[in-house]
Amino acid sequence: MVWLRAPFFLAMRADYIYLNIGQTLVSLVRDFIPFMLLVKCSAAKGIVSIHGNVFMSWAANSITARIFSLILRSAEAVTVLGPNQRTKLVQFGVSEDKVVILHNTCGITPVQDETVSEHQLKSTDLRFLFLSNLIDSKGYP
């Protein structure tokens, strides 16, 4: 979809181009060219937001990390959720002054796995909560 809409964004003269970047090779390749064109061919400032920490395990010289860091280095600012992520991006060659930490705003006490399991066993009602990906690293067991 970004590929089809890129000419429209160039014509509208946006002040900012925002990319919530994926962390798979497919998503990086998909977003790489449109984002780079929009940032380089317009006066817009590129802002990249990173959610998740898959990139933390990449070797700095891997193809995925190189594409990732190329996109990030072309941005005016990159947002991350913590200081460890910032450190990793600096290792990838992103300027430290470009990386902005947006601390997680959730200030609740985490629920223990046992409490969740007990509640699920007792409950007769079926309720759904969509959290994007229900994986352990998201905090929901």
Side-chain angles (χ1 to χ4, degrees):
M1 186 64 142
V2 173
W3 287 79
L4 298 174
R5 307 248 337 166
F8 169 75
F9 291 124
L10 280 173
M12 69 181 275
R13 308 230 187 273
D15 293 328
Y16 296 94
I17 303 295
Y18 174 80
L19 175 62
N20 186 2
I21 196 166
Q23 295 178 45
T24 65
L25 185 56
V26 170
S27 66
L28 291 172
V29 170
R30 178 193 64 219
D31 295 338
F32 174 75
I33 294 173
F35 183 76
M36 296 296 282
L37 283 173
L38 289 169
V39 169
K40 298 295 183 194
C41 297
S42 73
K45 296 176 180 172
I47 308 295
V48 177
S49 182
I50 302 172
H51 299 276
N53 62 357
V54 173
F55 72 95
M56 297 289 287
S57 63
W58 297 341
N61 63 351
S62 70
I63 187 69
T64 308
R66 288 186 296 186
I67 294 171
F68 187 68
S69 63
L70 184 61
I71 294 170
L72 300 182
R73 286 193 313 263
S74 71
E76 184 78 17
V78 179
T79 66
V80 295
L81 299 176
N84 291 340
Q85 292 177 335
R86 175 188 229 175
T87 301
K88 185 67 169 186
L89 294 183
V90 170
Q91 291 172 359
F92 283 168
V94 180
S95 175
E96 188 171 0
D97 61 325
K98 281 187 177 185
V99 184
V100 178
I101 298 172
L102 299 178
H103 295 283
N104 195 346
T105 59
C106 183
I108 62 172
T109 305
V111 178
Q112 300 299 315
D113 291 355
E114 299 79 29
T115 305
V116 172
S117 296
E118 287 173 16
H119 178 74
Q120 289 172 339
L121 290 172
K122 289 182 203 174
S123 180
T124 57
D125 295 335
L126 182 60
R127 298 174 191 220
F128 290 94
L129 171 64
F130 180 70
L131 299 174
S132 180
N133 288 319
L134 294 177
I135 56 178
D136 289 341
S137 65
K138 298 276 185 185
Y140 189 84

